[in-house]
Amino acid sequence: MSVIEHDFGAGRKRKEKRFRDLLSLDALHEQNVRANPLPYLERASERIYQLERTIFEAALAARPPADDAPDTSTVSISEAEYLRLRACRAIVDAALAEIQARPDDAAD
C-alpha cells in the first residue's frame, strides 16, 4: 500500500508568507498579495533598487579622493575596529561586483 502525499497548498502559502515577511507586511496583506501581487512586486523592486544604490554609494565612499593632495590628518583606531572596517569594505565591494556582473534584465 502506498501513501499519496498532498500539501493542500501549503507550499504556496509558505512562499506567500516568505514574500510578506521579506516586504515586512503583516498577515492582513495575505489576501491582497494573493489577489493582486503587482503592487507588492513593485514595492519589492523599489527596495532592491534602493539597496543596490546604497551599496554603490558605500563603495564610492570607500574609494580614496580623486584629488592628488595627500591627507595629513591622522586618526588612531584599534586594530579590531580597523579589521571590522576592512571586512565591511570587502562585503560592499563583493556585493557591488555581484551587482555589476549580473546581466541587466532591462536590456532585453
Side-chain angles (χ1 to χ4, degrees), residues 29-50:
H29 289 274
E30 184 173 352
Q31 289 295 89
N32 292 340
V33 169
R34 193 175 301 126
N36 188 13
L38 187 60
Y40 299 100
L41 292 172
E42 289 173 351
R43 183 184 295 184
S45 177
E46 178 63 25
R47 282 199 181 175
I48 291 168
Y49 169 76
Q50 290 172 356

Side-chain angles (χ1 to χ4, degrees), residues 16-67:
E16 291 168 355
K17 182 181 182 317
R18 183 169 186 269
F19 185 65
R20 264 194 1 253
D21 291 344
L22 289 172
L23 287 177
S24 303
L25 300 171
D26 56 16
L28 297 174
H29 289 274
E30 184 173 352
Q31 289 295 89
N32 292 340
V33 169
R34 193 175 301 126
N36 188 13
L38 187 60
Y40 299 100
L41 292 172
E42 289 173 351
R43 183 184 295 184
S45 177
E46 178 63 25
R47 282 199 181 175
I48 291 168
Y49 169 76
Q50 290 172 356
L51 290 170
E52 288 179 348
R53 187 185 70 207
T54 302
I55 289 171
F56 180 73
E57 289 171 356
L60 283 178
R63 291 185 182 157
D67 58 355

